Amino acid sequence: MNRPILASIHTEAFQHNLNRVRALAPESKIWAVIKARAYGHSFNAAIEGLASTDGFALLDIEDARWLRQQGWEGRILLLEGLFHENELDLAQQLDCDLVVHCETQVQWLEHFEGKAHMPFNVFLKMNSGMNRLGFKPSQYRTVYHRLHAAGYHLHHMTHFANADQVDQQPSVGKQMEVFSQTIEDLDAPTSLANSAAILWHRNALGDWVRPGIMLYGASPTGKFADIEHANLRSVMQLHSEIIDIQELNPGDRIGYGGRYEATEAMRVGIVACGYADGYPRHAKDGTPVWVFNATDDGAGLSCPIVGRVSMDMLTIDLRNAPKAKIGSVVELWGDQVPVDEVAQMSGTIGYELLCAVAPRVPVSIK
Ligand SMILES: *Cc1c(COP(=O)(O)O)cnc(C)c1O
């Protein structure tokens, strides 16, 4: 037997969340964004649970190859396009759609001999204000015409910097304005919305939406309360077990640095999960851990972290959990504890925690 830690991935929760995207963007096609091993959920689980998507969007061409080997026949978008010119033939064999965001990539496509028999679908990326990837509006139309002349099938694409917050510049409205003005009379399908725009900017969807985090049941803002009404389900349940229990006296301190001091006699549960599993070391005292069968009536209970998270273990306050014992199952995040709550208590967002689930954590697809 291995250590008791396990990440369970629920494929019907994936399907449910994808249906939610369909309901919110019924006119759009969906790129299910599965970069970073499907935000830590494994590509295997993603292609199973998200099989009814129109396409998968990811970063590495090797992952596109793997998807094709698994029999995926739908579309695949390389979200940052090609990183090297010598990947053009492979991208063509794999029938990938390409984001094009810089002049170098435009030149590769112009010189590509294979374009004559099978031109790519190109998602031409406009920098409408985020200032990360893409062409400035002043260059965009020229590049559009060049790729069009070279025979490629063009789509207009941009990405929002602030679809998850109000009063932040550049606003979605401002970026939309720049985008619409720039593409005026260049008739091609569009792709704009990430999860936050799908949830909160329904006028900014476009022909292809690009949901990531909402497919995994976490919030674009990092706050679970913001998506509570969106009826999304968490896809990953991170479970482990209590492997030891300590009885503390008043004044005893716990773990490295002795960050937590007992003010009264208390039981502390030692859980087999630490930062080497991807649990955030910065989790504050009070971060919830769900203990199943914790109380006299058999109910589960949220028990707060006490003391610093270490590499392989963390420690929780069992004062309200008389039935908790060695072998009790705990949920670090999932249905009972939203990953966003753990993230908030650790100064980050759910995205980072999900992506950082360590390779040593076994994944079970349910
Ligand atoms: C990651 C990514 C997305 C998905 O963003 P979420 O906030 O997870 O929905 C969409 N578009 C692009 C270009 C991305 O890189």
Side-chain angles (χ1 to χ4, degrees):
M1 285 285 278
N2 291 320
R3 279 171 82 225
I5 192 162
L6 182 68
S8 303
I9 312 298
H10 292 266
T11 52
E12 70 312 342
F14 261 142
Q15 177 65 55
H16 170 89
N17 294 340
L18 186 63
N19 292 345
R20 293 295 302 141
V21 176
R22 287 249 183 253
L24 289 166
E27 314 276 296
S28 307
K29 292 196 174 159
I30 300 176
W31 288 121
V33 178
I34 56 167
K35 57 198 182 190
R37 289 180 297 140
Y39 292 43
H41 292 61
S42 85
F43 287 124
N44 278 302
I47 59 168
E48 205 178 312
L50 299 170
S52 65
T53 184
D54 300 294
F56 285 112
L58 42 72
L59 297 184
D60 282 307
I61 198 162
E62 286 307 322
D63 297 328
R65 192 205 300 261
W66 182 88
L67 271 183
R68 291 296 184 219
Q69 284 165 353
Q70 304 307 302
W72 174 251
E73 292 179 349
R75 287 171 71 171
I76 298 177
L77 176 65
L78 298 179
L79 273 173
E80 294 174 7
L82 300 178
F83 298 100
H84 306 283
E85 187 170 14
N86 62 12
E87 294 161 343
L88 279 160
D89 286 319
L90 179 59
Q92 193 175 50
Q93 281 160 32
L94 297 173
D95 196 10
C96 292
D97 294 5
L98 303 181
V99 167
V100 170
H101 61 77
C102 65
E103 173 62 25
T104 305
Q105 291 176 332
V106 175
Q107 288 175 12
W108 294 343
L109 286 177
E110 283 180 329
H111 300 150
F112 180 46
E113 288 174 2
K115 68 179 187 279
H117 67 274
M118 209 182 122
F120 289 102
N121 289 313
V122 167
F123 282 71
L124 187 59
K125 188 132 181 206
M126 188 193 306
N127 169 13
S128 59
M130 183 162 177
N131 291 312
R132 204 174 53 176
L133 297 181
F135 297 94
K136 287 214 164 36
S138 56
Q139 312 160 318
Y140 185 88
R141 293 178 67 91
T142 314
V143 174
Y144 179 96
H145 289 302
R146 280 167 61 195
L147 289 173
H148 187 71
Y152 295 100
H153 304 304
L154 281 135
H155 303 63
H156 302 295
M157 175 179 179
T158 197
H159 193 56
F160 296 124
N162 288 307
D164 61 326
Q165 36 198 343
V166 283
D167 301 334
Q168 218 31 267
Q169 289 303 321
S171 67
V172 169
K174 179 72 199 154
Q175 287 193 257
M176 280 287 284
E177 199 182 304
V178 170
F179 183 77
S180 316
Q181 279 173 6
T182 309
I183 68 169
E184 201 182 5
D185 75 29
L186 299 179
D187 192 25
T190 56
S191 179
L192 300 101
N194 55 4
S195 299
I198 294 166
L199 287 163
W200 301 305
H201 298 276
R202 311 292 298 291
N203 59 336
L205 295 178
D207 298 301
W208 283 86
V209 291
R210 302 190 307 271
I213 197 72
M214 68 183 293
L215 294 174
Y216 306 94
S219 174
T221 62
K223 293 197 198 79
F224 179 68
D226 292 335
I227 57 158
E228 224 164 346
H229 304 290
N231 181 21
L232 300 169
R233 287 172 52 192
S234 74
V235 177
M236 181 193 297
Q237 326 288 329
L238 184 61
H239 285 161
S240 189
E241 290 178 12
I242 295 176
I243 58 167
D244 198 355
I245 290 191
Q246 295 295 334
E247 311 273 352
L248 303 196
N249 294 313
D252 287 351
R253 287 176 173 271
I254 304 174
Y256 290 116
R259 182 175 79 184
Y260 183 87
E261 180 180 351
T263 54
E264 58 179 349
M266 68 186 284
R267 287 200 322 146
V268 170
I270 320 301
V271 173
C273 176
Y275 61 78
D277 299 299
Y279 197 91
R281 181 172 172 279
H282 291 103
K284 294 203 215 39
D285 286 343
T287 305
V289 172
W290 187 264
V291 181
F292 292 92
N293 292 318
T295 63
D296 288 328
D297 58 7
L301 185 75
S302 174
C303 296
I305 285 187
V306 281
R308 200 182 276 169
V309 173
S310 53
M311 186 183 284
D312 310 310
M313 284 169 273
L314 54 79
T315 39
I316 57 177
D317 177 352
L318 295 180
R319 271 177 293 184
N320 297 320
K323 283 283 149 60
K325 55 182 196 298
I326 291 177
S328 288
V329 176
V330 309
E331 180 191 285
L332 286 316
W333 60 67
D335 285 336
Q336 308 296 331
V337 177
V339 67
D340 292 309
E341 280 186 17
V342 179
Q344 261 203 305
M345 292 293 283
S346 314
T348 182
I349 51 177
Y351 293 78
E352 188 180 9
L353 300 191
L354 293 172
C355 294
V357 170
R360 84 174 189 185
V361 175
V363 173
S364 154
I365 301 173
K366 306 228 150 113

